[in-house]
């Protein structure tokens, strides 16, 4: 089996925005599906890990696109493991038309947790570090890693929303992609008519659940670049807690 | 080519709810995809209609499920045209595991519009009524048609939301499935833990756009049965207009 997994999808009409290009959230969802297919086929997927009481947890995701697939177009996601350490593994993505035209790239960082203690777990302890058999360290992924998103204290409160039924996935918390969609909803169509989303990165800090209210704080950090911090007021105590932090770069 | 189109999909993890069963919205989306594949392959799809300045418009959708496909399961959607009249056509769906186990059914009503005047257009005028070659009137679809959703004046205001970027599809208005998701978000996970959504029907009345605020009015109409009316305050005049009307039946 090849170390790089290659999966072909179609840009569905309702997964495309007003301009007929895929929503970034749906592309991110297919990246996560590709990661699931790739790891499952190679013996370290979620289903197998569940038998060991372990699970992958997405820690960071960065997507940088030159162009988004258009409605009805087929596109290909290649995914591979760039490196694996004790507590984190780096998985990359390349999105293309399958014929040599590159749409863009993604980088993700995953941790493994013990599903009983919710504590970090040693990735290399699984099957004597078998994931190391799948490392691809020579395929380029020419986009920056997601760095620490630096935000000052001047981020402006821009919106709050209640976490609802459709936000929650089988893990019982808000699904990783829904945060991306809610953050991108902070800009309106007039903005997207004039600006193309070039890069989006998100670092997940804490899980949000139904009953939480998510508050969005936004700060411009450069020309056409914004950072967004999501805070939740916990359902029980009302204490504010950071949920995730994002950076959106438009061109 | 067979009159009935058969398409196989997989229930993606992030398209499943907290219980590991598909969200109804995602199933509805795949029904609309199946309708698109079926009509395109048979010469009366959206792309072809665009060359005639015509378009299909979904007028009603009713889905009734005995069970929802679970995470990672393959499921099959069969779709066919039950009847075609001058201004409306009835298209049905059967959702199964592809091996004889039926999950449920769907019924939809479509109108055709002239994309320039936005007025109803004669379906049977397209290629001399060619759609009549595809009628299947002997395949059962044993669920009730979506009737007129009757609501009194006592519906209670329960929520309002702003229409955002991710709600809008290439037609420039809120996509049909997003209404379903927003309506189903009126119930929380505690409710869904105790109640299975058995039937959902929606009748589309007017289009909503970015800038509109959607207000949800809910009325219990029988045991475990609710009707929901969506109103918009138009961005320009503020006048309240009905957008769609839904019925949700739980068991």
């Amino acid at each position: 089996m090849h170390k790089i997994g290659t999966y072909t999808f179609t840009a569905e009409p309702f997964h495309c925005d007003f301009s007929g290009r895929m929503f970034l959230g749906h592309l991110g969802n297919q990246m996560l599906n590709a990661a699931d297919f790739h790891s499952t086929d190679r013996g370290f997927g979620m289903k197998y890990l569940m038998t060991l009481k372990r699970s992958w947890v997405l820690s960071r995701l960065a997507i940088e696109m030159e162009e988004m697939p258009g409605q009805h177009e087929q596109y290909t996601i290649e995914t591979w493991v760039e490196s694996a350490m004790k507590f984190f593994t780096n998985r990359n993505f390349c999105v293309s038309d399958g014929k040599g035209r590159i749409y863009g790239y993604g980088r993700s960082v995953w941790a493994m947790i013990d599903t009983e203690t919710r504590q970090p777990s040693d990735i290399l302890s699984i099957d004597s570090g078998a994931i190391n058999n799948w490392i691809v360290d020579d395929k380029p992924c020419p986009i920056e890693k997601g760095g620490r998103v630096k935000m000052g204290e001047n981020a402006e409160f821009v919106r709050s929303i209640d976490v609802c039924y459709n936000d929650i996935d089988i893990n019982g918390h808000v699904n990783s992609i829904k945060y991306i969609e809610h953050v991108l909803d902070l800009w309106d169509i007039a903005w997207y008519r004039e600006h193309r989303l070039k890069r989006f990165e998100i670092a997940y800090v804490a899980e949000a659940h139904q009953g939480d209210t998510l508050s969005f704080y936004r700060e411009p950090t450069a020309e056409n670049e914004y950072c967004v911090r999501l805070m939740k007021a916990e359902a029980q105590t009302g204490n504010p807690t950071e949920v995730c932090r994002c950076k959106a770069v438009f061109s």
Side-chain angles (χ1 to χ4, degrees), chain A:
Chain A
M1 190 175 295
H2 203 285
K3 291 185 181 179
I4 300 172
T6 304
Y7 309 94
T8 299
F9 303 96
T10 301
E12 297 179 21
F14 284 179
H15 292 174
C16 292
D17 72 3
F18 71 94
S19 74
R21 298 276 160 188
M22 268 191 92
F23 284 114
L24 190 83
H26 287 290
L27 181 67
N29 180 44
Q30 297 296 38
M31 286 180 170
L32 300 190
N33 280 330
D36 186 37
F37 300 152
H38 175 272
S39 57
T40 297
D41 290 346
R42 285 158 185 80
F44 51 96
M46 288 282 194
K47 250 188 185 165
Y48 170 64
L49 289 181
M50 275 176 67
T51 66
L52 309 175
K53 300 199 167 66
R54 297 286 185 278
S55 181
W56 290 116
V57 174
L58 181 61
S59 170
R60 290 172 179 275
L61 179 63
I63 302 176
E64 196 167 320
M65 303 299 288
E66 281 309 310
E67 191 184 345
M68 285 297 248
Q71 179 173 264
H72 291 299
E73 282 175 12
Q74 285 209 332
Y75 62 96
T76 293
I77 299 181
E78 291 174 286
T79 182
W80 64 97
V81 178
E82 185 188 64
S83 61
M85 292 138 291
K86 188 170 179 182
F87 290 126
F88 288 102
T89 173
N90 290 296
R91 170 184 288 284
N92 297 342
F93 304 90
C94 174
V95 186
S96 73
D97 68 352
K99 299 169 205 150
R101 183 165 132 232
I102 307 282
Y103 289 122
Y105 293 91
R107 284 183 172 276
S108 61
V109 180
W110 300 74
M112 190 177 283
I113 59 162
D114 181 311
T115 51
E116 284 182 344
T117 65
R118 310 296 292 177
Q119 293 300 305
S121 171
D122 182 355
I123 293 169
L124 302 175
S125 73
I126 304 295
D127 297 340
S128 317
I131 194 171
N132 278 324
N133 300 330
W134 301 103
I135 305 292
V136 177
D137 53 12
D138 58 352
K139 183 170 168 72
C141 186
I143 65 168
E144 270 184 53
K145 293 194 179 189
R148 186 162 161 67
V149 176
K150 286 189 191 102
M151 293 185 70
E153 293 306 309
N154 299 323
E156 182 195 3
F157 169 78
V158 278
R159 181 175 292 161
S160 74
I161 58 166
D162 294 327
V163 172
C164 289
Y165 164 69
N166 273 284
D167 291 316
I168 304 292
D169 67 20
I170 194 171
N171 300 305
H173 44 74
V174 175
N175 115 29
S176 318
I177 297 303
K178 283 286 176 178
Y179 295 114
I180 300 178
E181 294 181 350
H182 290 313
V183 169
L184 293 178
D185 275 344
L186 297 181
W187 289 272
D188 68 7
I189 283 183
W191 174 269
Y192 286 103
R193 277 210 187 92
E194 303 291 327
H195 301 83
R196 190 179 68 79
L197 180 63
K198 184 177 160 57
R199 180 180 167 94
F200 188 88
E201 57 180 273
I202 180 165
Y204 299 97
V205 181
E207 292 159 358
H209 304 85
Q210 188 196 274
D212 290 333
T213 297
L214 297 177
S215 299
F216 297 74
Y217 296 84
R218 180 171 62 181
E219 182 181 359
T221 44
E223 200 186 341
N224 288 326
E225 182 188 294
Y226 294 85
C227 289
V228 178
R229 180 193 286 132
L230 268 73
M231 304 291 288
K232 66 173 174 181
E234 286 190 70
Q236 296 184 336
T237 64
N239 289 341
T241 310
E242 186 165 3
V243 172
C244 63
R245 223 178 249 215
C246 310
K247 187 194 278 186
V249 183
F250 297 91
S251 66

